[in-house]
Amino acid sequence: MPLSPNLMEILARARADLRMGVPVVLAGADGAGMMMLAAETVSQDRLALFHDAGGEGDLVLTARRAATLKARVYDGDLARVAVPADAGLDWVRSIADPADDLSMPMKGPLKERRGGDVSLQRLALTLAKSARLLPAALLLPVEAARAVALRENLTLVDGVAAAPSMLLLANLDHVVSARVPLSRAENARLHIFRPQDGSEEHYAIEVGRPDRSAPVLARLHSACFTGDVLGSLKCDCGPQLHAALGRMGEEGAGVLLYLNQEGRGIGLANKMRAYALQDQGFDTVEANHRLGFEDDERDFRLGAEILRRMGFGSVRLLTNNPNKLAMMERCGLAVTERVPLKVGRTAFNAHYLATKAAKSGHLL
Ligand SMILES: Nc1nc2c(ncn2[C@@H]2O[C@H](COP(=O)(O)OP(=O)(O)OP(=O)(O)O)[C@@H](O)[C@H]2O)c(=O)[nH]1
Ligand SMILES: [Zn+2]
């Protein structure tokens, strides 16, 4: 087995670099490529070097973010805005981050770019999202990608091979299992699963010893630090988590997956950005879009895969979200029943739940 990192491991390094504000180099098919910096984490010094390089740098955005900025989109799901020669950090952040959109609506004039292949730009946005950063990237063309990466000691990503590989679900390693008696389900075991791509671990709480040959009472719960841990009244996650475990405790069997897909897959920092936008009057879906995300960025293949690994082939799913049923079926897991989970409604989350019903098809 070679000692050097494979593509998946290089991508994990690239995500860590970007989160720290370190550039990475994306190599194209012809040996040329792009130097990438995440708009959220780029420092003043590195932005200055970006300008000094003298090339034609772009700020790449999702079409969602471009719609809010009224920037023209020529590439379907993404837009490219030329970085003015005198652009400072304030400019970069104000384009990438909608926090001050209302107080500073005039960002332009923006010079959009068009034409040419945008696969490295698309990869850059996927990387920024998977690093749980704002989906916006500074890209500077470089003639010899490998030479630049070597000279500057930067992570070099093979852009051609990376794009399809990022669509794959990483293999999961089962790390450990142990008994954890819970107040709502005393006979519980916690299993830890670790993705081989260096992303967050996910947990399965198995209550009792569910029969693998029958549909299991199951919940796919997405992490919600504010709701699950802090008892936030803005959503219904905490009460749903505890009600689901309670129901499994009463029936004596079940499995709750605690998936670390905080904020419907955008990460806690971005979810808090979305909350700040909600304080400005936008609803949960509009806030995601203004940040440049889709309504829901979760990958539900993960839940299906963990259930399969645990030996389950069919579920009675505790949810109000019909999308989850469809996703499970699409991933080859039979859903024999939807078990509603209507708890935790408060004056603070009535609008949030009504928006989920109106825009995301949740059943009230
Ligand atoms: N982006 C974003 N995420 C949110 C917001 N409020 C809650 N969340 C996240 O939404 C997710 C809720 O997940 P679930 O309760 O598993 O899923 P659901 O789609 O509501 O479906 P149910 O099974 O009916 O609960 C968690 O990851 C929360 O962190 C919000 O305003 N914006
Ligand atoms: Zn929540």
Side-chain angles (χ1 to χ4, degrees), residues 9 12 37 50 53-54 58 65 103-104 126 150 181-182 192 198 227 238 275 287 291 317 359 364:
E9 293 156 348
L37 275 155
F50 189 85
D58 283 354
R65 179 71 190 128
S103 54
M104 286 190 294
T126 308
L150 267 176
L182 306 175
I192 308 294
Y275 274 14
L291 285 161
L317 200 61
K359 294 192 171 177
L364 275 178

Side-chain angles (χ1 to χ4, degrees), residues 193-360:
F193 291 91
R194 181 177 298 158
Q196 290 179 356
D197 65 359
S199 59
E200 298 96 330
E201 291 168 359
H202 305 284
Y203 321 130
I205 297 137
E206 182 176 4
V207 176
R209 288 283 170 179
D211 178 1
R212 265 49 179 181
S213 64
V216 61
L217 181 65
R219 166 133 185 98
L220 269 63
H221 190 86
S222 299
C224 178
F225 173 73
T226 45
D228 300 339
V229 181
L230 302 182
S232 160
L233 302 174
K234 258 180 87 79
C235 61
D236 54 351
C237 302
Q240 282 190 323
L241 173 64
H242 296 291
L245 289 171
R247 174 89 188 244
M248 291 172 193
E250 281 159 24
E251 291 198 12
V255 59
L256 184 139
L257 303 190
Y258 194 89
L259 304 170
N260 274 311
Q261 303 175 316
E262 174 67 60
R264 297 198 296 273
I266 67 177
L268 185 57
N270 284 323
K271 185 175 95 172
M272 289 305 96
R273 293 190 172 103
Y275 274 14
L277 294 175
Q278 288 167 37
D279 286 342
Q280 295 179 10
F282 300 105
D283 70 32
T284 180
V285 171
E286 291 163 345
N288 261 37
H289 291 177
R290 292 185 81 86
L291 285 161
F293 292 107
E294 298 304 317
D295 313 14
D296 194 336
E297 296 271 357
R298 288 175 289 185
D299 185 346
F300 284 106
R301 292 177 301 178
L302 189 58
E305 179 58 22
I306 295 177
L307 288 171
R308 233 189 326 264
R309 281 286 296 276
M310 295 178 73
F312 299 110
S314 63
V315 291
R316 294 162 53 220
L317 200 61
L318 279 154
T319 187
N320 306 320
N321 181 352
N323 262 337
K324 283 190 185 173
L325 307 181
M327 296 288 188
M328 287 304 100
E329 294 275 0
R330 206 172 300 158
C331 295
L333 214 85
V335 182
T336 59
E337 184 188 346
R338 181 182 75 86
V339 183
L341 194 54
K342 292 180 185 162
V343 287
R345 273 132 219 272
T346 70
F348 297 94
N349 67 26
H351 179 61
Y352 167 71
L353 295 174
T355 304
K356 289 216 293 187
K359 294 192 171 177
S360 310

